[in-house]
Amino acid sequence: MSSVSYSTPRSDEPGLLRIGQPSSLTAEPAERADAARNRALLLDAAQQLVREHGVAGLTMDALAKRAGVGKGTVFRRFGNRSGLMLALLDHSEQKFQTSFMFGPGPLGPDADPVERLIAFGRTRLLDIELEGDLHRAAEEKGRFGDGPYALHRAHIVLLLRTAGVRGELALIADGLLATLSAALVLHQMEVLGYTRAQIGDNWEWLVRRVVSPAAQVE
């Protein structure tokens, strides 16, 4: 069992890192519980549409129809399609963070650190395959700041350390994460013809090489 785990954040703690998360000085007021639930239901419906029809199939009209609400409700909630896309990407990222920080194995805390690393990559590849355009757009806006990338990097550093890896762990984590870039993965799938399974197998090979005794640096 991995010794790396996370405590569920209290209501007064920052919790998960969001796409476009405001700073503490400009933080938005918390949503009411019922409003947050309704927003999550809309975003779940939007995620289903993207996974079934691609990003082009997600329109305000289509979402209203899928969710069984008026189009005005969708516009009031997200403003426009760009706002909806940003909210959807954030929603997907929150689910991913919750899974690797608090969820079951092999991705969550109750699993071996190497298996968690492997599951991290394979899960991310599935997200990219299903919502690649959203992830690629997020990378174009800035990928290496204080938001989700920083959390992913810290998570991988913790797992590497727990697995007994020595060396400059932050740089190793950056190297591993570079192979999960949405732009690269989509190029591998759409241009080079690799399947998600093949890319996932390569991720596992990289992880196991990094954690093998022969790869360790004194």
Coordinates of all heavy atoms in Angstrom, one line a residue, residues 138-173:
A138 N -6.4 24.1 -23.5 CA -5.9 24.5 -22.2 C -4.4 24.6 -22.2 O -3.8 25.5 -21.6 CB -6.4 23.5 -21.1
E139 N -3.7 23.7 -22.9 CA -2.3 23.8 -23.0 C -1.8 25.0 -23.7 O -0.8 25.6 -23.3 CB -1.7 22.5 -23.7 CG -1.9 21.2 -22.9 CD -1.3 20.0 -23.6 OE1 -0.8 20.2 -24.7 OE2 -1.5 18.9 -23.1
E140 N -2.6 25.4 -24.7 CA -2.2 26.6 -25.5 C -2.3 27.9 -24.7 O -1.6 28.8 -24.9 CB -3.1 26.7 -26.7 CG -2.8 25.6 -27.8 CD -3.8 25.6 -28.9 OE1 -4.8 26.3 -28.8 OE2 -3.6 24.8 -29.8
K141 N -3.2 27.8 -23.7 CA -3.4 29.0 -22.8 C -2.3 29.1 -21.7 O -2.2 30.1 -21.0 CB -4.8 29.0 -22.2 CG -5.9 29.2 -23.1 CD -7.3 29.1 -22.5 CE -8.4 29.3 -23.4 NZ -8.4 30.7 -24.1
G142 N -1.5 28.1 -21.6 CA -0.5 28.1 -20.5 C -0.6 26.8 -19.7 O -1.6 26.6 -19.0
R143 N 0.5 26.0 -19.7 CA 0.4 24.7 -19.1 C 1.2 24.5 -17.9 O 1.0 23.6 -17.1 CB 0.8 23.7 -20.2 CG 0.7 22.2 -19.8 CD 0.8 21.4 -21.0 NE 0.7 19.9 -20.6 CZ 1.8 19.2 -20.6 NH1 3.0 19.6 -21.0 NH2 1.7 17.9 -20.3
F144 N 2.2 25.4 -17.6 CA 3.2 25.1 -16.6 C 3.1 26.0 -15.4 O 4.0 26.2 -14.6 CB 4.6 25.2 -17.2 CG 4.8 24.3 -18.4 CD1 4.9 24.8 -19.6 CD2 4.8 22.9 -18.2 CE1 5.1 24.0 -20.7 CE2 5.0 22.1 -19.3 CZ 5.1 22.6 -20.6
G145 N 2.0 26.7 -15.2 CA 1.8 27.6 -14.1 C 1.5 27.0 -12.8 O 1.9 25.8 -12.5
D146 N 0.7 27.7 -12.0 CA 0.4 27.2 -10.6 C -0.9 26.4 -10.5 O -1.3 26.1 -9.5 CB 0.3 28.4 -9.7 CG 1.6 29.2 -9.5 OD1 2.6 28.5 -9.6 OD2 1.6 30.4 -9.4
G147 N -1.5 26.1 -11.7 CA -2.8 25.4 -11.7 C -2.6 23.9 -11.6 O -1.8 23.3 -11.0
P148 N -3.5 23.2 -12.4 CA -3.5 21.7 -12.3 C -2.2 21.1 -12.7 O -1.8 20.0 -12.1 CB -4.6 21.4 -13.4 CG -5.5 22.5 -13.3 CD -4.7 23.7 -13.1
Y149 N -1.4 21.6 -13.6 CA -0.1 21.0 -14.0 C 0.8 20.9 -12.7 O 1.4 19.9 -12.5 CB 0.6 21.8 -15.1 CG 1.9 21.1 -15.5 CD1 1.9 20.1 -16.4 CD2 3.1 21.5 -14.8 CE1 3.1 19.5 -16.8 CE2 4.3 20.9 -15.2 CZ 4.3 19.9 -16.2 OH 5.5 19.3 -16.5
A150 N 0.8 22.0 -11.9 CA 1.6 21.9 -10.7 C 1.2 20.8 -9.8 O 2.0 20.2 -9.1 CB 1.6 23.3 -10.0
L151 N -0.1 20.6 -9.7 CA -0.6 19.5 -8.8 C -0.2 18.2 -9.4 O 0.2 17.3 -8.6 CB -2.1 19.6 -8.7 CG -2.8 18.6 -7.8 CD1 -2.3 18.6 -6.4 CD2 -4.3 18.7 -7.8
H152 N -0.4 18.0 -10.7 CA 0.0 16.7 -11.3 C 1.5 16.4 -11.1 O 1.9 15.3 -10.7 CB -0.2 16.8 -12.8 CG -1.7 16.9 -13.2 ND1 -2.1 17.1 -14.5 CD2 -2.8 17.0 -12.4 CE1 -3.4 17.2 -14.5 NE2 -3.9 17.2 -13.3
R153 N 2.3 17.5 -11.2 CA 3.7 17.3 -11.0 C 4.1 16.9 -9.6 O 4.9 16.0 -9.4 CB 4.4 18.7 -11.4 CG 5.9 18.7 -11.4 CD 6.3 20.1 -11.9 NE 7.7 20.2 -12.1 CZ 8.5 21.0 -11.4 NH1 8.1 21.6 -10.3 NH2 9.8 21.1 -11.8
A154 N 3.5 17.6 -8.6 CA 3.7 17.3 -7.2 C 3.2 15.9 -6.9 O 3.9 15.2 -6.1 CB 3.0 18.3 -6.3
H155 N 2.1 15.5 -7.5 CA 1.6 14.1 -7.2 C 2.6 13.1 -7.7 O 2.9 12.1 -7.0 CB 0.3 14.0 -7.9 CG -0.3 12.6 -7.9 ND1 -0.8 12.1 -6.7 CD2 -0.5 11.7 -8.8 CE1 -1.2 10.9 -6.9 NE2 -1.1 10.6 -8.2
I156 N 3.1 13.3 -8.9 CA 4.1 12.3 -9.5 C 5.4 12.3 -8.7 O 6.0 11.3 -8.5 CB 4.3 12.6 -11.0 CG1 3.0 12.2 -11.8 CG2 5.5 11.9 -11.5 CD1 3.1 12.5 -13.3
V157 N 5.8 13.5 -8.3 CA 7.0 13.5 -7.4 C 6.8 12.7 -6.2 O 7.7 11.9 -5.7 CB 7.4 15.0 -7.1 CG1 8.4 15.1 -6.0 CG2 7.9 15.7 -8.3
L158 N 5.7 12.8 -5.5 CA 5.4 12.1 -4.3 C 5.4 10.6 -4.6 O 6.0 9.8 -3.8 CB 4.1 12.5 -3.7 CG 4.0 13.8 -3.0 CD1 2.6 14.2 -2.7 CD2 4.8 13.8 -1.7
L159 N 4.8 10.2 -5.7 CA 4.8 8.8 -6.0 C 6.2 8.2 -6.3 O 6.5 7.1 -5.9 CB 3.8 8.5 -7.2 CG 2.3 8.8 -6.9 CD1 1.5 8.5 -8.1 CD2 1.8 7.9 -5.7
L160 N 7.0 9.0 -7.1 CA 8.3 8.6 -7.4 C 9.1 8.4 -6.1 O 9.9 7.5 -5.9 CB 9.0 9.6 -8.3 CG 8.5 9.7 -9.7 CD1 9.1 10.9 -10.4 CD2 8.8 8.4 -10.5
R161 N 9.0 9.4 -5.2 CA 9.7 9.3 -3.9 C 9.3 8.1 -3.1 O 10.1 7.4 -2.5 CB 9.5 10.6 -3.1 CG 10.3 10.6 -1.8 CD 10.1 12.0 -1.1 NE 10.6 13.1 -1.8 CZ 9.9 14.1 -2.3 NH1 8.6 14.1 -2.1 NH2 10.4 15.1 -3.0
T162 N 8.0 7.8 -3.1 CA 7.5 6.7 -2.3 C 8.0 5.4 -3.0 O 8.2 4.4 -2.2 CB 6.0 6.7 -2.3 OG1 5.5 7.9 -1.8 CG2 5.4 5.6 -1.5
A163 N 8.1 5.4 -4.3 CA 8.6 4.2 -5.0 C 10.1 4.0 -4.8 O 10.7 3.0 -5.3 CB 8.3 4.3 -6.4
G164 N 10.8 4.9 -4.1 CA 12.2 4.8 -3.9 C 13.1 5.4 -5.0 O 14.3 5.1 -5.1
V165 N 12.5 6.2 -5.9 CA 13.3 6.7 -7.0 C 14.2 7.8 -6.4 O 13.8 8.7 -5.6 CB 12.4 7.3 -8.1 CG1 13.2 8.0 -9.2 CG2 11.6 6.2 -8.7
R166 N 15.5 7.8 -6.9 CA 16.4 8.9 -6.5 C 16.7 9.7 -7.7 O 16.6 9.3 -8.9 CB 17.7 8.3 -5.9 CG 17.4 7.5 -4.6 CD 18.7 7.1 -4.0 NE 19.5 6.1 -4.8 CZ 19.2 4.8 -4.8 NH1 18.3 4.3 -4.1 NH2 20.0 4.0 -5.6
G167 N 17.3 10.9 -7.5 CA 17.6 11.8 -8.6 C 16.8 13.1 -8.4 O 16.2 13.4 -7.4
E168 N 16.8 13.9 -9.4 CA 16.1 15.2 -9.4 C 14.6 14.9 -9.8 O 14.2 14.9 -11.0 CB 16.7 16.2 -10.4 CG 16.2 17.6 -10.3 CD 16.5 18.2 -8.9 OE1 17.7 18.0 -8.4 OE2 15.6 18.8 -8.3
L169 N 13.8 14.6 -8.8 CA 12.5 14.1 -9.0 C 11.6 15.1 -9.8 O 10.7 14.6 -10.6 CB 11.8 13.7 -7.7 CG 12.5 12.6 -6.9 CD1 11.7 12.2 -5.7 CD2 12.8 11.4 -7.8
A170 N 11.7 16.3 -9.5 CA 10.9 17.3 -10.2 C 11.1 17.3 -11.7 O 10.2 17.3 -12.6 CB 11.1 18.7 -9.7
L171 N 12.4 17.1 -12.1 CA 12.7 17.0 -13.5 C 12.2 15.7 -14.1 O 11.8 15.7 -15.3 CB 14.2 17.2 -13.8 CG 14.8 18.6 -13.5 CD1 16.3 18.6 -13.7 CD2 14.2 19.6 -14.4
I172 N 12.3 14.7 -13.4 CA 11.8 13.4 -13.9 C 10.3 13.4 -14.1 O 9.8 13.0 -15.1 CB 12.2 12.2 -12.9 CG1 13.7 12.1 -12.8 CG2 11.5 10.9 -13.3 CD1 14.2 11.1 -11.7
A173 N 9.6 14.1 -13.1 CA 8.2 14.2 -13.3 C 7.8 15.0 -14.5 O 6.9 14.7 -15.2 CB 7.6 14.9 -12.0

